[in-house]
Amino acid sequence: MADADSRAAATKSPRPARRARGVPLPDQVALVLQGGGALGSYQAGVIEGLTESDIEIDWVAGISIGAINAAIVAGNPPETRMQQLAAFWDKVTSALPSFPIFPNDRLREFLHEWSAGMVLATGVPGFFTPRPVSPLFVQPGTPGAMSYYDSSPLQETLDALIDWDRVNHGPVRLSVGAVDIESGNFRFFDTNVDKIDARHIMASGALPPGLPPIEIDGKLWWDGGLVSNTPLSHVLDHQMADMLVFQVDLFSSKAEPPRTIMDVMAREKEIRFSSRTRQVSDQVMKLRKEREVIRRVLNKLPDDMASDPDVAMLRDLAAEHAVSLVQLIYRANAWEGGSRDFEFSARTMREHWHAGRAAVDETFANAQVMAENILDGKSAAFDLVPKTR
């Protein structure tokens, strides 16, 4: 508890004024990373952009692949963070080379789906490997009976890339979400109260039936994305100061109508994984607008009502810190179908990475409205990347 108390005290303490690319930064900066498998290299590009923009991250929260990227951020100092992120993404995409780019989207889509098929057949280096025996012929209750792949290579990869002592005692708070299989309850493992190791990161990304559940303290855990694919609500529920949040979403809620069966598969997955994220974001901002109205009304009450118990209770319920929510949303290329989240080729990884890096540049190129909002101490959400991809 001493660690938790010291972290909480540090969170409450005012920070020296900070700026990045001319934008003032509030007391806390958080990075929220969604799940999305191979699309997580887009998040790595965002992290690179924020690092090069001198954005100091105080808190990083993730689900599934977002938990892996988040742990690498929290478990490495800024000067080696990108090197370790690159090492992870180079490793998991090393089995599929950087294929040439074809001028025709249909040809590129065929190669894209072929690459995803290779992942299904052979696994991902340093991440997961196919089991030699079908789960149908394995002793019930064992990991091999509950999954098609063995995720044990991921533990070795994480241990090689992450300083767990820094994760649990360093300056960046880490939160990762997972689901208790027996109760169906979702929870966050958080370095403010928990000691996190590779198991917690693997649990957050243990998506069934592909990957096996992970045992932690006698309980089995699955991918947190089964319940919620965004950690935003956890971060804002525990907010203790004005905050700037970069929320990186890997599935867009809006897209053109599908034309082929691959388009249908891709769109179904986008809607499934983005709907909960959009719902959380919309609810959060709606609630904050309602609280702002309540505070304005309370400020109009006569002084003799200030001590009324009901007024005091309502004032406490309406109190909150401001949040500027910057949304960075991956928008898929025309050739990316329903297999985009498990297409781990080096070529596609680099394209996703570049897209994330470009999104940060575009965000700061249009950041004046965000800067004004931070200075005014108001809550608002922003998507500052032009939708022209």
Side-chain angles (χ1 to χ4, degrees), residues 233-245:
S233 57
H234 175 74
V235 170
L236 295 185
D237 285 346
H238 296 84
Q239 181 184 358
M240 301 181 69
D242 286 355
M243 181 179 284
L244 171 61
V245 179

Side-chain angles (χ1 to χ4, degrees), residues 123-344:
V124 174
F127 200 151
F128 57 85
T129 58
R131 296 191 183 279
V133 180
S134 168
L136 297 175
F137 304 106
V138 178
Q139 179 67 31
T142 62
M146 294 186 286
S147 61
Y148 291 104
Y149 299 90
D150 176 7
S151 63
S152 58
L154 180 58
Q155 179 163 356
E156 182 178 347
T157 300
L158 294 174
D159 287 341
L161 297 174
I162 297 168
D163 179 349
W164 297 111
D165 184 65
R166 185 181 182 88
V167 165
N168 291 291
H169 305 289
V172 180
R173 179 176 179 177
L174 174 65
S175 307
V176 297
V179 177
D180 179 345
I181 293 180
E182 289 190 71
S183 67
N185 292 332
F186 180 89
R187 71 155 288 185
F188 276 94
F189 297 103
D190 191 310
T191 51
N192 252 25
V193 294
D194 302 297
K195 183 176 181 180
I196 288 180
D197 56 39
R199 296 171 302 158
H200 302 84
I201 311 306
M202 294 171 68
S204 183
L207 184 64
L211 303 182
I214 302 299
E215 182 178 347
I216 301 174
D217 298 330
K219 293 183 178 181
L220 295 176
W221 300 86
W222 267 339
D223 191 308
L226 293 174
V227 173
S228 176
N229 206 31
T230 177
L232 178 63
S233 57
H234 175 74
V235 170
L236 295 185
D237 285 346
H238 296 84
Q239 181 184 358
M240 301 181 69
D242 286 355
M243 181 179 284
L244 171 61
V245 179
F246 293 95
Q247 177 173 269
V248 188
D249 297 336
L250 300 180
F251 296 95
S252 175
S253 62
K254 297 180 180 180
E256 295 294 326
R259 300 176 59 194
T260 68
I261 192 63
M262 296 308 300
D263 292 344
V264 170
M265 293 172 60
R267 189 67 191 129
E268 182 275 333
K269 192 170 290 186
E270 284 180 331
I271 292 173
R272 175 155 45 98
F273 285 114
S274 68
S275 59
R276 175 63 177 162
T277 302
R278 185 173 68 253
Q279 182 184 42
V280 169
S281 301
D282 290 348
Q283 287 180 344
V284 163
M285 300 316 299
K286 179 176 181 291
L287 180 60
R288 286 176 177 262
K289 289 180 180 179
E290 291 172 351
R291 286 173 176 170
E292 184 179 345
V293 172
I294 292 173
R295 291 195 297 271
R296 289 204 303 266
V297 171
L298 290 175
N299 290 335
K300 295 177 181 179
L301 296 178
D303 293 341
D304 58 358
M305 293 189 65
S307 59
D308 183 279
D310 291 334
V311 172
M313 179 178 295
L314 189 59
R315 193 178 299 278
D316 288 340
L317 291 174
E320 64 185 0
H321 297 286
V323 60
S324 296
L325 176 62
V326 179
Q327 297 171 315
L328 297 156
I329 305 170
Y330 178 68
R331 295 179 173 90
N333 296 287
W335 47 264
E336 292 184 274
S339 305
R340 71 184 67 156
D341 54 331
F342 57 93
E343 198 270 81
F344 283 85

